[in-house]
């Protein structure tokens, strides 16, 4: 296989698996879309294993789909998780180090373009049953293919404004990874998903694990979020050491932001809430930001909302763009609250909210 000992990140120096599971871990389809973009870029469509064991899926939740096949004969497509890439026995061997290619200016990254044969992809719906057996099966495949590093990719709903750059939070429980990438260990404690289970099993067998999580505005979660997808693609490009074309993502991101801005402007309460998120985000990121200034802004927001005297129940909270009542999520940097339709794995807490350091809690009546 290609020697990447001089690659831009430690994760690009060996064979690695990139994982995205649809469902609770995939708000706005951002994680799955980003990993599919990676898969297309490196041509990792060689199916090595199709994990479709019925013991892992509750078909009343993940419904099988009827598809038209050859000569119009219909066939049932069962839920499955695909493990794909170039099998170890077929990987080429090269002595020369990878050449470096400059990416587009908006990414600002320098990566090689020939690391694709070292990258595997695991993508599909999050299993509903027997997670321990599932994760052991996945890590068994990793060992068989010589994989030593795993990147867990997720997206969760958070109290972030759609008008600001999407926050990507990276974390790892491996000290060597934290030191080389200058990232933190997650301190999250609470409900989690299969991504965390895969990470724990992989670490128990000596593999290095890195988590990437994107924050998706909770009030705009019913539609795909190309802006979050683009942010994850840029970070994956750097971590995996493969150039991933943006395609139409830049245009789609701009259109998405414009559409959400237009929609939120039509609801005074949501517009006010978005304005609060924008001011808080700007203050947190400002060099002169202080806890006192953030607290004052939070108090002003509460004073503005005080006259409405929200009552318990759906009517007390801003609605999302579909008209569904949503509870604004708390701003604790280490705790990811559960929403009624939370597509987030707070796994180990790869919570993007962790980048929003010292942000104030959400308005009274919200979940912690």
């Amino acid at each position: 296989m290609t020697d990447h000992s001089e690659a831009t990140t430690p994760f690009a120096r060996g064979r690695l698996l990139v994982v995205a599971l649809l469902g609770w871990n995939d708000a706005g389809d951002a994680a799955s879309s980003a990993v599919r973009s990676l898969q297309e870029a490196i041509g990792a469509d060689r199916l090595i294993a199709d994990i479709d064991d019925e013991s892992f899926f509750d078909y009343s939740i993940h419904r099988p789909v009827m598809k038209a096949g050859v000569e119009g004969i219909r066939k049932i497509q069962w839920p499955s998780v695909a493990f794909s890439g170039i099998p170890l026995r077929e990987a080429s061997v090269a002595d020369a180090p990878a050449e470096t290619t400059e990416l587009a200016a908006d990414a600002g990254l320098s990566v090689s373009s020939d690391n694709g044969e070292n990258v595997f992809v695991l993508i599909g719906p999050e299993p509903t049953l027997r997670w321990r057996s599932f994760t052991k099966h996945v890590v068994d495949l990793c060992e068989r293919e010589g994989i030593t590093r795993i990147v867990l990719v997720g997206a969760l709903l958070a109290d972030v404004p759609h008008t600001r750059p999407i926050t990507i939070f990276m974390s790892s429980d491996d000290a060597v990874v934290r030191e080389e990438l200058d990232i933190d260990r997650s301190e999250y404690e609470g409900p989690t998903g299969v991504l965390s289970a895969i990470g724990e099993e992989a670490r128990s067998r000596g593999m290095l694990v890195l988590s990437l999580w994107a924050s998706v505005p909770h009030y705009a979660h019913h539609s795909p979020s190309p802006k979050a997808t683009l942010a994850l693609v840029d970070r994956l490009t750097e971590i995996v050491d493969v150039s991933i074309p943006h395609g139409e993502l830049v245009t789609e991101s701009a259109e998405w932001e414009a559409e959400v801005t237009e929609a939120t402007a039509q609801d005074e309460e949501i517009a006010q809430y978005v304005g609060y998120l924008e001011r808080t985000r700007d203050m947190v990121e400002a060099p002169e930001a202080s806890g006192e200034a953030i607290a004052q802004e939070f108090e002003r927001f509460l004073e503005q909302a005080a006259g409405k005297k929200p009552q318990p129940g759906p009517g007390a909270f801003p609605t999302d763009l579909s008209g569904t009542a949503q509870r604004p999520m708390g701003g604790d940097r280490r705790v990811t609250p559960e929403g009624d339709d939370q597509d987030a794995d707070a796994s180990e807490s790869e919570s993007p909210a962790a980048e929003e350091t010292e942000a104030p809690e959400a308005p009274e009546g919200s979940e912690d």
Side-chain angles (χ1 to χ4, degrees), residues 133-211:
S133 297
F134 175 81
T135 55
K136 288 179 180 177
H137 183 54
V138 168
V139 180
D140 285 345
L141 289 170
C142 290
E143 289 186 331
R144 190 186 78 184
E145 298 300 332
I147 292 169
T148 59
R149 304 152 202 280
I150 295 180
V151 182
L152 305 173
V153 184
L156 54 76
L157 302 179
D159 50 348
V160 295
H162 68 282
T163 54
R164 300 297 185 265
I166 296 293
T167 298
I168 303 296
F169 176 60
M170 298 198 303
S171 69
S172 177
D173 282 335
D174 299 303
V176 62
V177 178
R178 294 197 303 272
E179 181 178 356
E180 293 194 43
L181 295 181
D182 190 23
I183 59 177
D184 295 325
R185 181 202 297 272
S186 172
E187 297 176 5
Y188 171 79
E189 294 180 318
T192 190
V194 173
L195 290 185
S196 292
I198 292 174
E200 184 175 272
E201 179 67 20
R203 279 190 296 272
S204 73
R205 303 199 203 180
M207 299 177 191
L208 298 179
V209 180
L210 172 68
S211 296

Side-chain angles (χ1 to χ4, degrees), residues 206-225:
M207 299 177 191
L208 298 179
V209 180
L210 172 68
S211 296
L212 303 180
W213 284 83
S215 301
V216 175
H218 71 90
Y219 54 84
H221 74 285
H222 277 296
S223 60
S225 182

Side-chain angles (χ1 to χ4, degrees), residues 10-240:
F11 262 83
R13 295 174 191 161
R15 291 167 73 77
L16 59 89
L17 174 68
V18 181
V19 183
L21 296 175
L22 291 71
W24 202 59
N25 314 279
D26 192 25
D29 299 334
S32 58
S33 296
V35 173
R36 290 191 194 283
S37 295
L38 167 66
Q39 186 176 33
E40 293 174 1
I42 63 178
D45 53 3
R46 175 74 174 275
L47 185 64
I48 294 176
D50 198 17
I51 307 174
D52 61 355
D53 190 328
E54 65 181 357
S55 65
F56 297 143
F57 296 96
D58 180 344
Y59 294 140
S60 66
I61 296 177
H62 296 298
R63 292 279 179 177
V65 178
M66 186 67 75
K67 294 282 189 178
V70 181
E71 298 180 354
I73 299 177
R74 297 184 304 161
K75 184 177 181 180
I76 294 178
Q77 179 177 314
W78 298 94
S80 66
V81 178
F83 186 102
S84 58
I86 299 177
L88 180 61
R89 63 184 180 277
E90 298 179 14
S92 63
V93 178
D95 296 327
E99 294 182 357
T100 298
T101 302
E102 292 297 328
L103 290 181
D106 60 344
L109 304 171
S110 178
V111 301
S112 68
S113 58
D114 63 346
N115 196 33
E117 69 178 25
N118 292 320
V119 180
F120 292 76
V121 169
L122 183 75
I123 191 167
E126 181 183 54
T128 48
L129 303 168
R130 295 176 175 81
W131 285 7
R132 291 180 179 179
S133 297
F134 175 81
T135 55
K136 288 179 180 177
H137 183 54
V138 168
V139 180
D140 285 345
L141 289 170
C142 290
E143 289 186 331
R144 190 186 78 184
E145 298 300 332
I147 292 169
T148 59
R149 304 152 202 280
I150 295 180
V151 182
L152 305 173
V153 184
L156 54 76
L157 302 179
D159 50 348
V160 295
H162 68 282
T163 54
R164 300 297 185 265
I166 296 293
T167 298
I168 303 296
F169 176 60
M170 298 198 303
S171 69
S172 177
D173 282 335
D174 299 303
V176 62
V177 178
R178 294 197 303 272
E179 181 178 356
E180 293 194 43
L181 295 181
D182 190 23
I183 59 177
D184 295 325
R185 181 202 297 272
S186 172
E187 297 176 5
Y188 171 79
E189 294 180 318
T192 190
V194 173
L195 290 185
S196 292
I198 292 174
E200 184 175 272
E201 179 67 20
R203 279 190 296 272
S204 73
R205 303 199 203 180
M207 299 177 191
L208 298 179
V209 180
L210 172 68
S211 296
L212 303 180
W213 284 83
S215 301
V216 175
H218 71 90
Y219 54 84
H221 74 285
H222 277 296
S223 60
S225 182
K227 189 171 182 178
T229 298
L230 180 59
L232 282 170
V233 163
D234 281 345
R235 191 55 60 90
L236 276 173
T237 293
E238 181 180 16
I239 296 300
V240 179

Side-chain angles (χ1 to χ4, degrees), residues 162-163 255-266 278 321:
H162 68 282
T163 54
E255 293 175 349
W256 174 85
E257 183 173 329
E259 290 172 0
V260 176
T261 297
E262 181 179 359
T264 55
Q266 297 174 12
E278 291 173 333
L321 302 187

